[in-house]
Amino acid sequence: MPPPADIVKVAIEWPGAFPKLMEIDQKKPLSSIIKEVCDGWSLANHDQFALQHADSSNFYITEKAQNAQQLHERIQSSSMDAKLEALKDLANYSRDVTFAQEFINLDGISLLTQMVESGTERYQKLQKIMKPCFGDMLSFTLTAFVELMDHGIVSWDTFSVAFIKKIASYVNKFASDISILQRSLAILESMVLNSHDLYQKVAQEITIGQLIPHLQGTDQEIQTYTIAVINALFLKAPDDKRQEMANILAQKQLRSIILTHVIRAQRAINNEMAHQLYVLQVLTFNLLEDRMMTKMDPQDQAQRDIIFELRRIAFDAESEPNNSSGSMEKRKSMYTRDYKKLGFINHVNPAMDFTQTPPGMLALDNMLYFAKHHQDAYIRIVLENSSREDKHECPFGRSSIELTKMLCEILKVGELPSETCNDFHPMFFTHDRSFEEFFCICIQLLNKTWKEMRATSEDFNKVMQVVKEQIMRALTTKPSSLDQFKSKLQNLSYTEILKIRQSERMNQEDFQSRPILELKEKIQPEILELIKQQRLNRLVEGTCFRKLNSRRRQDKFWYCRLSPNHKVLHYGDLEESPQGEVPHDSLQDKLPVADIKAVVTGKDCPHMKEKGALKQNKEVLELAFSILYDSSGQLNFIAPDKHEYCVWTDGLNALLGKDMLSDLTRNDLDTLLSMEIKLRLLDLENIQIPDAPPPIPKEPSNYDFVYDCN
C-alpha cells in the first residue's frame, strides 16, 4: 500500500554522523519537523537549527510562503503599532529572493505603491503627534520596496506618475530624515537607469536645484546617492539635452559645491563616492565627444575665422593690404608664411589639418582657448619657434592637434563609464574649463620638453611619447589642483624621465649570459612554488566581492575563502563590507575543490553572457571569472580590482594543478628572479660575466713554485 501523499522520505545528514532516511509529514509545522530531526541525534535547542538543501543551491528550507502571506495581511492592519512592526519585518525579509518571489506573487509591490501613493496620507494627519512613528513606517515601506525591486523580478515600467510624484516629493519633504531621503534617491536613480519612460517622468518631477542642497550637507551617503541621481539623469538624457543639462549644472555651481562639500570635506572619500565622482568626471568629458568627432569644413567661414584669429593674436598684423591683384598675392604669401610659423602641416590651407577625427574641431577649440586665456604664453611659444632654425622648431599647430588626441585617449573621452572604476581626479573639479586648462598646461610642457630634448621634426613621435609619460606619471600622484599638477610636471623634466627609465631598467635588468640563464632555470621552480603558496595563502584569507547588476550599483557583498587544508571553498552573502577576515563558520555555503571542473574568465563566464549591460563593459569583463562544477553548477565572481583578479585566478589554477598565467605572476616571477640572482651575485658586483668560460692558460715553463706538503 503506497504511503499517504503528505508523507515523504528524505535523507538528512549531520556533520560527523551517519545520514538518516526519515519520513516527514508535510502537514506538520516546519518547527515540529526540525525538533523531530534534532531529537533523533539528541541535539538540544532545536529552535537554533534549520534544514538546508544539499544540492548546488544550498538554499535553506523555510516557511517563506506562509511568512509572505502573513506579512501581506499584517501590513494592512488598522493598528499603527502592528503595521509598523509588520513593515519592519518586511524590510528585513525582502532581502531573501525566495520570500521576495512569494510576496510579489501576492501582488505585494502594488500594495506598497498604493501605501506610498495614498495610504501614507491617512497618517499625515497624525504626523504632528506621532512623527517618529510615521517616519519609521515610511522608511520601512521604502526599504522593502527597494529590496524587492532589486531582485529584478518586476519591471520598473509598471509604476504610475502618482507614485513617481510622491517619491520625488520626499526628496524635499524629508530632507532631515536620512533614511527616507536615501531610499527615495535610490528609487529615483533606479527608475531613470531602468526605463526611458520613467526617465522622462522623473526629469519632469525633480530638478537639479532640488538636489543641490543635499550635496551641501555632511552625510556622505546622501551626497553619494544625490550625485548618483544626477549621473543617471546625465547618462540617460538624449544627446541634444546633455549640453543643456551641463549648462544648468554650471549655473547651479555643481562643480564648486562638490569640490567644497565633498572632495575637500574633512573626511575620507569612500569607494562608492569615488565611483560616482569618476562617473560624473567621465560624463562631463564625454560632452567633448561631439567636437572631437567633428571634421572642419574648409568652406565654413566661421571656422576659418578661428584660424585667422590665431594668426592675428600671434603676429598682430598692422593693416590689411589693399584688395588689388598684386596685394592679394602678397597677402596670400604672407598668410602662408605665418601659417608655417604657427606650425600647421598644410601651410596654404591649414583648415585641412583639422579634418582628421579624433581630435577634429576640439583641437582648434583648445588652440583658440590657449591663445585667448593664456595669450602671453601662446605668443611666446609661437615666436620662439618661428625664430629657430627650421629643423629645431616645435610646430605649435601639429603639436596641439596630436596633444589633444593624446589627452582624449588618456581621459577616454567618448567611452562609457566603467561599473567598477573609481579613478577620479580632484584637479578636474577645480575649474569650469578643466579640459582646456589641462591642455594649456600640457602644450607648454610639450614645448619645454622639445627644447630639453633638442628635438628636430624627425623626433616628433619620440617627444610625444616622453610627454605622455610625463603626464601619466603626474596624474598617478592624484594632484589636488591644476597648479599642483603643473608643479609635478616641473619636477618631471626630460632629464628626470631618463633617470627614472634608467633606474627601472636596472631594476628589471635581464642578464642574458649563459651562466645566468642556467641559474635562472634552476631557481625558477622554487620561485614559482613560492608564488603559488602566496596565492593560496591569500585565498585562505579570503576576499569580499561586490554584487553588481545592470540595474543599479548597490553595496551588496559576498565573501569567499579557501579552507586551511585547501580542500573546500566557503562562501556566503554579507550585509556590509567586512573589516578583516570573515570566519569560515559564518559562511553558509561551501564547494569542494575536488568538484571544480574548470575556471573560465572574461567573456567565457556564464554571467557575462547573461547580463548584456555588463557584457558591453570592457573593464568589468577584465575582472570577471567563474568556477564551473558538476554538470551545470557555476560560481560567478567580479573581482574588486585587477590585483585580486590575478590572485584568485592564479590560486584557483594552482588548486587545479594548472599553470599560473596572470600578468601579476609574470611580474612577481621577474622581480623575485632578479632579486634572487642579484643576491647570489653580490660578490660579483661590477665584474662582467663572460658568455663563454675563459681559456685554459698555457703550462708554465717550470713548476718550481710547487710546494710538496709531505
Side-chain angles (χ1 to χ4, degrees):
M1 184 176 179
D6 293 323
I7 303 296
V8 293
K9 289 188 176 182
V10 179
I12 302 177
E13 61 181 359
W14 171 256
F18 289 108
K20 291 184 177 182
L21 186 64
M22 301 184 66
E23 288 189 350
I24 291 181
D25 185 352
Q26 297 182 76
K27 290 183 178 180
K28 290 184 177 181
L30 182 60
S31 58
S32 299
I33 296 172
I34 292 175
K35 184 176 186 305
E36 290 178 9
V37 173
C38 290
D39 290 343
W41 274 302
S42 302
L43 299 173
N45 302 322
H46 70 276
D47 56 332
Q48 297 181 12
F49 291 86
L51 296 177
Q52 183 183 29
H53 286 285
D55 60 11
S56 59
S57 69
N58 288 320
F59 287 149
Y60 285 94
I61 300 170
T62 63
E63 293 174 323
K64 297 293 183 186
Q66 185 177 354
N67 285 345
Q69 180 65 50
Q70 291 174 350
L71 275 175
H72 191 272
E73 295 170 359
R74 287 170 57 202
I75 61 175
Q76 300 179 73
S77 171
S78 58
S79 166
M80 294 291 286
D81 290 338
K83 184 186 285 286
L84 178 62
E85 194 62 31
L87 287 170
K88 182 178 180 180
D89 291 341
L90 179 63
N92 185 42
Y93 291 152
S94 294
R95 297 172 185 158
D96 185 280
V97 66
T98 307
F99 171 87
Q101 183 69 68
E102 295 294 340
F103 187 79
I104 290 170
N105 289 342
L106 295 169
D107 212 16
I109 291 287
S110 296
L111 178 59
L112 292 180
T113 55
Q114 289 169 15
M115 291 173 65
V116 171
E117 288 174 19
S118 58
T120 52
E121 293 176 3
R122 260 178 243 157
Y123 310 115
Q124 288 192 18
K125 296 176 182 178
L126 305 173
Q127 191 173 351
K128 290 184 179 180
I129 58 174
M130 51 184 306
K131 187 173 181 179
C133 178
F134 170 76
D136 290 344
M137 187 177 297
L138 183 56
S139 173
F140 291 137
T141 303
L142 296 178
T143 301
F145 177 84
V146 169
E147 295 293 347
L148 290 168
M149 290 302 298
D150 190 47
H151 295 295
I153 300 170
V154 179
S155 170
W156 283 92
D157 288 311
T158 58
F159 300 107
S160 67
V161 175
F163 179 73
I164 297 169
K165 286 178 177 289
K166 186 64 69 173
I167 296 297
S169 71
Y170 293 158
V171 173
N172 297 320
K173 286 182 182 178
F174 296 96
S176 60
D177 193 315
I178 300 300
S179 178
I180 294 174
L181 178 58
Q182 179 199 74
R183 285 149 184 79
S184 299
L185 291 168
I187 292 170
L188 291 176
E189 180 199 2
S190 292
M191 286 179 173
V192 172
L193 292 178
N194 291 287
S195 170
H196 177 68
D197 290 340
L198 289 186
Y199 155 74
Q200 294 177 322
K201 294 171 183 175
V202 171
Q204 292 172 358
E205 294 299 326
I206 200 80
T207 65
I208 300 301
Q210 291 171 315
L211 295 172
I212 291 293
H214 301 309
L215 291 173
Q216 296 171 315
T218 57
D219 189 287
Q220 188 171 120
E221 198 165 2
I222 293 299
Q223 292 175 324
T224 302
Y225 275 95
T226 302
I227 297 177
V229 173
I230 294 172
N231 286 339
L233 291 168
F234 213 152
L235 185 64
K236 293 300 180 178
D239 293 341
D240 59 334
K241 293 287 185 182
R242 284 184 188 170
Q243 187 60 56
E244 181 183 329
M245 183 174 176
N247 294 336
I248 294 173
L249 294 178
Q251 291 171 7
K252 298 295 183 180
Q253 299 184 324
L254 176 70
R255 178 197 58 77
S256 60
I257 290 171
I258 289 176
L259 182 67
T260 303
H261 296 278
V262 178
I263 297 175
R264 292 181 176 172
Q266 298 300 313
R267 61 175 181 271
I269 293 177
N270 60 35
N271 288 337
E272 182 63 20
M273 173 60 85
H275 170 75
Q276 295 300 341
L277 291 173
Y278 152 79
V279 172
L280 182 59
Q281 172 185 293
V282 171
L283 294 176
T284 302
F285 284 142
N286 280 356
L287 293 171
L288 303 170
E289 183 182 12
D290 182 55
R291 295 293 283 174
M292 181 181 77
M293 300 307 295
T294 300
K295 295 181 180 180
M296 184 171 185
D297 181 1
Q299 306 305 318
D300 188 319
Q301 188 59 43
Q303 294 180 1
R304 292 169 62 86
D305 286 345
I306 299 176
I307 297 177
F308 294 151
E309 182 68 4
L310 289 173
R311 177 194 164 278
R312 185 195 66 76
I313 295 173
F315 303 113
D316 194 22
E318 294 180 359
S319 61
E320 291 294 324
N322 296 326
N323 289 329
S324 64
S325 60
S327 65
M328 182 68 76
E329 290 295 325
K330 184 178 178 181
R331 182 168 62 177
K332 191 173 181 181
S333 174
M334 181 179 66
Y335 279 6
T336 300
R337 184 190 70 236
D338 289 348
Y339 290 148
K340 183 179 180 181
K341 290 179 180 180
L342 279 169
F344 291 113
I345 297 174
N346 192 319
H347 308 150
V348 177
N349 186 8
M352 299 303 295
D353 287 11
F354 301 95
T355 56
Q356 180 186 359
T357 57
M361 288 295 292
L362 184 60
L364 189 57
D365 294 342
N366 282 339
M367 294 167 70
L368 183 62
Y369 181 90
F370 181 49
K372 286 189 170 183
H373 294 83
H374 300 270
Q375 194 170 112
D376 291 344
Y378 167 70
I379 293 173
R380 185 181 69 252
I381 287 176
V382 173
L383 295 184
E384 267 183 13
N385 287 290
S386 63
S387 63
R388 291 184 197 169
E389 298 178 30
D390 282 352
K391 66 176 184 178
H392 284 295
E393 67 179 7
C394 177
F396 173 74
R398 182 186 176 190
S399 298
S400 298
I401 292 168
E402 291 301 317
L403 179 63
T404 300
K405 183 179 178 181
M406 179 199 294
L407 298 183
C408 289
E409 290 172 355
I410 290 173
L411 298 177
K412 299 180 179 179
V413 174
E415 294 186 21
L416 287 175
S418 163
E419 284 278 355
T420 58
C421 185
N422 54 15
D423 185 26
F424 84 97
H425 293 278
M427 72 178 192
F428 291 131
F429 290 85
T430 62
H431 201 284
D432 289 328
R433 303 289 293 274
S434 60
F435 184 81
E436 290 87 345
E437 288 293 324
F438 187 41
F439 168 84
C440 294
I441 293 171
C442 293
I443 192 66
Q444 294 177 75
L445 167 73
L446 193 155
N447 189 65
K448 172 175 170 285
T449 302
W450 184 283
K451 290 189 289 185
E452 291 172 349
M453 294 178 67
R454 300 183 60 81
T456 63
S457 56
E458 289 80 10
D459 300 319
F460 186 86
N461 290 334
K462 291 181 182 177
V463 175
M464 294 304 294
Q465 289 173 4
V466 173
V467 169
K468 184 173 184 178
E469 185 174 346
Q470 290 171 313
I471 294 170
M472 295 299 290
R473 289 185 183 277
L475 284 176
T476 55
T477 64
K478 293 294 180 74
S480 60
S481 66
L482 290 164
D483 286 340
Q484 195 177 97
F485 173 69
K486 192 173 182 178
S487 176
K488 297 283 184 184
L489 291 176
Q490 290 293 332
N491 296 327
L492 285 170
S493 64
Y494 176 57
T495 304
E496 185 63 25
I497 290 293
L498 289 179
K499 288 180 182 178
I500 293 171
R501 287 178 175 179
Q502 179 65 21
S503 174
E504 289 177 349
R505 271 198 299 270
M506 290 180 66
N507 290 335
Q508 299 171 1
E509 193 170 17
D510 186 16
F511 301 104
Q512 297 299 321
S513 62
R514 187 161 58 87
I516 298 299
L517 292 176
E518 290 177 358
L519 181 58
K520 272 190 173 184
E521 191 175 340
K522 181 180 178 181
I523 296 172
Q524 185 163 316
E526 302 173 20
I527 302 295
L528 282 172
E529 182 61 28
L530 184 65
I531 294 172
K532 175 183 173 181
Q533 290 304 317
Q534 188 273 340
R535 300 292 191 266
L536 294 177
N537 288 341
R538 279 289 293 108
L539 264 62
V540 170
E541 292 175 12
T543 300
C544 178
F545 297 93
R546 185 189 295 270
K547 286 189 173 182
L548 291 178
N549 54 53
S550 58
R551 299 183 305 280
R552 182 160 61 92
R553 184 180 172 91
Q554 297 241 354
D555 280 319
K556 290 185 177 294
F557 306 92
W558 69 288
Y559 200 89
C560 187
R561 64 181 300 182
L562 181 65
S563 63
N565 62 5
H566 299 173
K567 291 186 177 181
V568 178
L569 283 172
H570 297 267
Y571 61 96
D573 292 343
L574 300 176
E575 291 297 324
E576 57 185 4
S577 181
Q579 302 297 323
E581 293 182 17
V582 176
H584 292 95
D585 53 10
S586 64
L587 301 174
Q588 310 94 335
D589 307 310
K590 60 183 179 180
L591 171 64
V593 172
D595 291 348
I596 298 176
K597 304 300 182 186
V599 176
V600 294
T601 61
K603 62 182 180 181
D604 294 325
C605 297
H607 58 317
M608 290 294 100
K609 296 177 181 177
E610 294 168 2
K611 296 182 179 180
L614 291 179
K615 188 176 179 182
Q616 301 300 322
N617 195 307
K618 183 179 177 182
E619 291 193 39
V620 172
L621 278 175
E622 291 175 350
L623 299 175
F625 61 98
S626 297
I627 295 174
L628 306 182
Y629 59 93
D630 295 336
S631 58
S632 60
Q634 62 194 48
L635 193 59
N636 301 317
F637 299 76
I638 296 178
D641 52 51
K642 190 66 176 178
H643 182 271
E644 287 297 318
Y645 169 85
C646 293
V647 166
W648 273 85
T649 52
D650 282 344
L652 292 171
N653 281 323
L655 286 173
L656 299 179
K658 297 181 179 180
D659 292 336
M660 299 179 292
L661 303 175
S662 74
D663 293 339
L664 183 62
T665 290
R666 285 195 292 271
N667 292 337
D668 287 350
L669 180 61
D670 290 343
T671 301
L672 293 172
L673 270 177
S674 176
M675 289 175 59
E676 184 65 21
I677 287 172
K678 287 178 180 179
L679 285 172
R680 296 193 182 199
L681 299 178
L682 279 177
D683 293 337
L684 301 180
E685 191 72 34
N686 298 323
I687 297 177
Q688 186 174 1
I689 301 173
D691 291 332
I696 299 174
K698 294 179 180 179
E699 290 190 14
S701 58
N702 63 69
Y703 293 89
D704 293 344
F705 56 84
V706 175
Y707 179 75
D708 188 351
C709 297
N710 297 324

